[in-house]
Amino acid sequence: LKIEPKVFFANERTFISWLQFCALLLTVALNLLNFGDFISRICGAIFLSIAVVLSLYALFRFQYRARMLRNHQVHARYDDMYGPPVLCLLIVGALVINFWLRF
């Protein structure tokens, strides 16, 4: 079975998309850390840690998919069932902590 090059490029595009979101989240975190009050710095640190964990997770998923493609594992699952929901929960959790500390 032959895997086309566009599949490898799709894996790279997905990785770059995750890294773009990490860069956006890191920008928000650094602005909160540099220009915010005490509570904003706590939330900035939480967003910073989420960005670091998310970038490492994206790297792991990219390498995992690339290894599956190189080994021609056609019947394996290539979708990400857990990453996006966990990311949403982490961001909502950070926002809830922010509102809880504010009020």
Side-chain angles (χ1 to χ4, degrees):
L1 210 45
K2 183 178 179 183
I3 297 176
E4 297 178 4
K6 68 179 180 179
V7 178
F8 289 100
F9 294 136
N11 187 29
E12 290 178 359
R13 281 193 309 271
T14 304
F15 177 60
I16 290 170
S17 174
W18 278 94
L19 288 183
Q20 284 177 341
F21 184 75
C22 290
L24 177 68
L25 194 60
L26 184 63
T27 302
V28 171
L30 290 176
N31 280 323
L32 287 172
L33 285 172
N34 287 328
F35 303 115
D37 57 351
F38 179 72
I39 295 172
S40 296
R41 289 182 182 181
I42 292 172
C43 293
I46 293 171
F47 282 140
L48 179 69
S49 62
I50 291 173
V52 168
V53 168
L54 183 61
S55 63
L56 292 175
Y57 176 76
L59 178 63
F60 168 75
R61 289 298 297 180
F62 170 73
Q63 290 178 345
Y64 175 71
R65 286 185 186 120
R67 185 172 49 249
M68 286 193 313
L69 289 170
R70 277 194 308 270
N71 294 334
H72 299 287
Q73 295 178 357
V74 179
H75 299 293
R77 290 190 65 117
Y78 287 91
D79 59 341
D80 190 2
M81 294 177 53
Y82 304 110
V86 169
L87 173 64
C88 289
L89 287 175
L90 288 174
I91 291 176
V92 167
L95 291 174
V96 166
I97 290 173
N98 182 21
F99 288 129
W100 182 67
L101 290 173
R102 288 267 175 218
F103 302 112

